[in-house]
């Protein structure tokens, strides 16, 4: 089995697993988290399989900007931009990363706690 076939977010990006997809372009997709921690909880995911933030190569660093742009647009579209929202990237086991494919969480729609860790 190929790396893409073993990765749940690659399978979603490739249309092999269903998701509640809110955005897709040539580089980035975004869909609702299956286990939401806030009224709005989206995942912004590059199509390219990058296992985690620490493995982001310099040549792919513009992807982070593309992901933030998509997140900001989705926050505005969902109506949470004015009150505020949070973008989170978990990296590695101690960073709380469960799915080994780079992704950004967009959380909003309620008052989020002031503690990060
Ligand atoms: P992290 O802990 O940062 O790796 O976050 C992974 C997130 O992916 C968790 O919030 C999960 O609820 C979410 N997740 C895992 N599988 C799926 C899926 N098939 N569709 C949507 N969200 C998922």
């Amino acid at each position: 089995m190929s790396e893409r076939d073993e990765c749940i977010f690659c399978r979603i990006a490739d249309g092999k697993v269903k998701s509640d997809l809110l955005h897709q372009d040539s580089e980035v997709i975004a869909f609702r988290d299956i286990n939401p921690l806030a009224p709005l909880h989206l995942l912004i995911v590059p199509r390219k399989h990058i296992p985690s933030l620490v493995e982001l190569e310099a040549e792919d660093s513009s992807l982070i900007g593309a992901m933030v742009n998509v997140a900001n647009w989705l926050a505005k579209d969902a109506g949470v931009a004015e009150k505020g929202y949070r973008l989170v990237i978990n990296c590695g086991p101690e960073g709380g990363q469960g799915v080994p494919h780079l992704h950004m969480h967009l959380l909003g729609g309620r008052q989020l706690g002031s503690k990060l860790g």
Side-chain angles (χ1 to χ4, degrees):
M1 209 190 256
S2 78
E3 189 174 60
R4 287 198 78 79
D5 285 331
E6 288 178 23
C7 170
I8 183 68
F9 287 177
C10 286
R11 289 174 62 81
I12 288 173
D14 294 345
K16 293 177 178 166
V17 169
K18 274 183 77 174
S19 70
D20 193 348
L21 200 64
L22 297 180
H23 172 87
Q24 56 178 324
D25 62 43
S26 59
E27 288 187 315
V28 176
I29 63 167
F31 51 90
R32 289 189 197 280
D33 197 293
I34 206 167
N35 184 24
L37 301 176
L40 181 69
H41 186 173
L42 308 181
L43 297 172
I44 297 95
V45 178
R47 288 186 183 276
K48 182 172 180 178
H49 183 77
I50 300 167
S52 78
L53 191 62
V54 73
E55 287 170 79
L56 187 75
E57 305 278 357
E59 68 196 35
D60 290 324
S61 56
S62 65
L63 268 178
I64 297 295
M67 290 162 70
V68 171
N69 285 339
V70 168
N72 287 343
W73 182 82
L74 288 168
K76 285 175 193 155
D77 191 59
V80 304
E82 206 168 302
K83 284 193 170 175
Y85 53 97
R86 182 173 292 167
L87 302 180
V88 177
I89 297 178
N90 296 325
C91 179
E94 287 204 359
Q97 184 179 3
V99 175
H101 179 128
L102 175 64
H103 54 280
M104 179 183 285
H105 297 257
L106 164 56
L107 296 153
R110 68 167 169 83
Q111 179 63 55
L112 299 168
S114 55
K115 287 187 182 166
L116 280 178

